[in-house]
Amino acid sequence: MSIARRVSDLVDRVIEEERITGAVVLVYQDGKPILEKAAGFADREAAVPARLDTIFRYASVTKPFVAVTALVMVDKGLLGLDDRVSDYLPWFRPKAPDGREAAITLRHLLTHTSGLIYDPALELLPEGQRMTLGLGNTDLSLEENFSRHNGIPLAFEPGTRWAYSFATDILGGVVAAAHGGTLEAAVVHHVAGPLDMVDSRFHVTDPQRLAVPYADHPQRPVRMPDPWVSGDEEAWRTVFSPARIFNPRAFQSGGAGMAGTAEDVMRLLEMLRSDGSSFLKPETAGAALSNQIGDVEGEPGYRFTFVGGLVVDPAAAMTALPKGAIQWGGVYGNTWFIDPAERLTVVSLTNNALEGCTGAYPEMLRAAVYDRS
């Protein structure tokens, strides 16, 4: 059975089981589509079907868009990987654990080795100290929100550890400052415009095509309330606000704030897989998909590139992906991976938080691609 048939059958099954409400799944090999499938509902209650051009909230799928924007600007000589963040954002000066001002660089932000972390406690601080970590609604600017971190020590000295974080929000601030204007303007100018992406923005280009988000529930996914708090205060916790994408006062979150289509994500990833496609320098595109943290461990079985997790030990990572594949996702229900050896790129956008990203479905999808049941 072909890859396309296995993946198509899987998508049909998870839709029928109501594990997933709506999805767009793209599988490309050698730069050509072998599967482009839309299934289920963009809006279940209104019986609006998902289509190939359905717009989804990207959540952390925003990160590679902003990372690539920064890399394009590095290629153009507008930024340097070892530039200090404070040179562009003088208001952002968090302290290292020993109390010194931390020397955070763009390289640290891109690789999540900055000492910043996604700490649920930051969203539980008293009013006036509380920070929004990219998914919750807010009327604060980037500076108003994250300057509050100046009074909170970093989790570790920059460069010494890896921890997934809101670093890409700060990177977005650097990109906007260096470009002049908004982060969206920088992303459109340097990446989305040149790659003919018409929908990947920090606002919704066509509300009629926007998928309704659904939250996990033991029986069946439920239409996501606003706000929706996933997890608990003792462990992993995230505040979702579906309305945030419509709030022009909310800071443009480089780590979680975009919406767009699966096709736009595929364009971005295929450009990277194709050695930059004359868009990025080949060495820059290569660096974007290679280990950038040395022997520092990321998630178990992974190291980290400039855009996602690099599989170095499939068994430790508990994944069907082979060694050398790069993958990541977004908590609104999205997952993607690139397999350079097989010249394969897979994008799955769903409207199911968290199942489409951190539930069983992403690994089911990878197993279907590689015929590993």
Side-chain angles (χ1 to χ4, degrees):
M1 188 183 298
S2 68
I3 293 175
R5 179 62 183 275
R6 291 194 303 270
V7 172
S8 181
D9 287 352
L10 169 69
V11 174
D12 287 341
R13 186 167 77 251
V14 296
I15 294 290
E16 182 179 356
E17 293 171 351
E18 294 193 291
R19 181 187 295 271
I20 297 296
T21 305
V24 176
V25 180
L26 309 179
V27 182
Y28 278 42
Q29 193 162 35
D30 285 318
K32 299 177 181 178
I34 60 175
L35 178 68
E36 296 179 303
K37 184 179 180 73
F41 295 105
D43 183 336
R44 184 182 63 199
E45 289 71 27
V48 177
R51 308 186 320 181
L52 291 177
D53 65 351
T54 292
I55 294 171
F56 296 86
R57 293 165 176 84
Y58 280 163
S60 285
V61 175
T62 304
K63 289 181 172 73
F65 283 85
V66 174
V68 169
T69 301
L71 293 176
V72 170
M73 294 175 73
V74 168
D75 276 357
K76 292 177 179 179
L78 302 174
L79 293 172
L81 289 174
D82 296 312
D83 290 351
R84 287 199 178 191
V85 172
S86 57
D87 290 342
Y88 299 92
L89 304 178
W91 52 264
F92 188 70
R93 297 179 180 273
K95 301 294 191 297
D98 64 3
R100 295 177 297 106
E101 183 178 319
I104 301 175
T105 67
L106 274 63
R107 189 185 302 274
H108 293 143
L109 297 179
L110 281 159
T111 57
H112 294 279
T113 57
S114 64
L116 301 169
I117 59 173
Y118 274 131
D119 183 354
L122 298 175
E123 295 189 302
L124 299 173
L125 291 169
E127 189 67 36
Q129 301 175 41
R130 188 177 307 150
M131 277 176 266
T132 299
L133 300 183
L135 292 174
N137 211 345
T138 182
D139 287 341
L140 297 178
S141 68
L142 190 80
E143 178 176 349
E144 290 168 335
N145 189 65
F146 288 115
S147 62
R148 295 174 177 181
H149 207 293
N150 293 339
I152 301 171
L154 297 175
F156 52 87
E157 181 73 24
T160 62
R161 284 174 46 196
W162 180 92
Y164 196 47
S165 73
F166 60 85
T168 317
D169 287 88
I170 305 304
L171 179 67
V174 171
V175 164
H179 177 72
T182 66
L183 176 56
E184 179 176 273
V187 171
V188 171
H189 179 81
H190 295 287
V191 175
L195 289 178
D196 295 324
M197 300 171 179
V198 297
D199 290 310
S200 291
R201 301 291 189 272
F202 288 89
H203 69 279
V204 181
T205 57
D206 181 359
Q208 296 300 312
R209 289 190 284 128
L210 180 65
V212 170
Y214 291 84
D216 290 343
H217 188 273
Q219 275 72 54
R220 70 195 298 232
V222 297
R223 202 175 182 97
M224 186 181 289
D226 194 339
W228 179 57
V229 180
S230 173
D232 58 62
E233 297 177 11
E234 303 301 321
W236 188 88
R237 178 183 182 275
T238 298
V239 177
F240 291 79
S241 174
R244 188 189 202 279
I245 192 70
F246 297 109
N247 181 2
R249 296 179 301 279
F251 66 86
Q252 294 181 350
S253 169
M258 293 180 75
T261 62
E263 180 185 8
D264 283 355
V265 180
M266 181 61 77
R267 285 174 184 263
L268 184 78
L269 300 180
E270 273 291 287
M271 178 275 292
L272 291 172
R273 187 198 63 79
S274 304
D275 295 326
S277 305
S278 300
F279 181 75
L280 280 173
K281 294 177 181 178
E283 57 268 30
T284 304
L289 299 181
S290 62
N291 178 16
Q292 295 296 323
I293 63 172
D295 293 331
V296 175
E297 186 177 12
E299 297 287 345
Y302 287 94
R303 296 295 185 266
F304 206 82
T305 73
F306 285 141
V307 298
L310 173 69
V311 179
V312 295
D313 184 340
M318 295 187 292
T319 184
L321 292 173
K323 183 177 181 179
I326 302 95
Q327 70 88 11
W328 214 249
V331 291
Y332 262 112
N334 312 315
T335 189
W336 60 264
F337 72 83
I338 299 171
D339 181 345
E342 295 296 325
R343 305 172 306 283
L344 189 69
T345 306
V346 175
V347 173
S348 170
L349 302 188
T350 81
N351 51 357
N352 294 88
L354 304 167
E355 174 63 27
C357 174
T358 62
Y361 166 74
E363 197 54 42
M364 294 167 68
L365 175 63
R366 297 161 197 157
V369 170
Y370 291 98
D371 196 16
R372 297 171 186 162
S373 56

